């Protein structure tokens, strides 16, 4: 919160997390999401049935998320 700046207040943020992540528990990812959201940032949460890795569905959704924002 102390590093928050109005210059990036409208920057969209995507938080993606594995539901079965044993390295960074999903609850910590969700807590980070909630903290950023409580500061008023436009943040999106996505979770996937995986551990601490990536899956094809996540990669595809990240691509779509980026394309939507970069095309604007």
């Amino acid at each position: 919160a102390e590093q928050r700046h109005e210059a990036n207040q409208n920057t969209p943020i995507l938080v993606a997390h594995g539901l079965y992540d044993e390295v960074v528990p999903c609850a910590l990812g969700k807590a980070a999401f909630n903290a950023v959201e409580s500061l008023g940032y436009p943040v999106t949460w996505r979770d996937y049935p995986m551990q601490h890795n990536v899956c094809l569905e996540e990669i595809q959704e990240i691509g779509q998320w980026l394309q939507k924002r970069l095309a604007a």
Side-chain angles (χ1 to χ4, degrees):
E2 60 274 359
Q3 295 181 9
R4 179 178 169 193
H5 194 279
E6 65 183 57
N8 61 21
Q9 185 64 42
N10 295 315
T11 301
I13 301 167
L14 175 64
V15 179
H17 210 287
L19 292 171
Y20 312 117
D21 191 332
E22 295 177 356
V23 178
V24 179
C26 193
L28 290 179
K30 192 65 173 180
F33 164 82
N34 289 334
V36 171
E37 184 179 49
S38 73
L39 294 173
Y41 286 93
V43 60
T44 302
W45 170 264
R46 292 291 296 131
D47 54 45
Y48 302 90
M50 63 183 188
Q51 294 182 354
H52 191 77
N53 55 342
V54 296
C55 63
L56 181 58
E57 180 185 5
E58 179 185 22
I59 293 169
Q60 290 171 335
E61 289 189 28
I62 290 169
Q64 292 168 358
W65 189 88
L66 285 170
Q67 286 178 350
K68 182 177 177 183
R69 278 133 190 97
L70 294 175

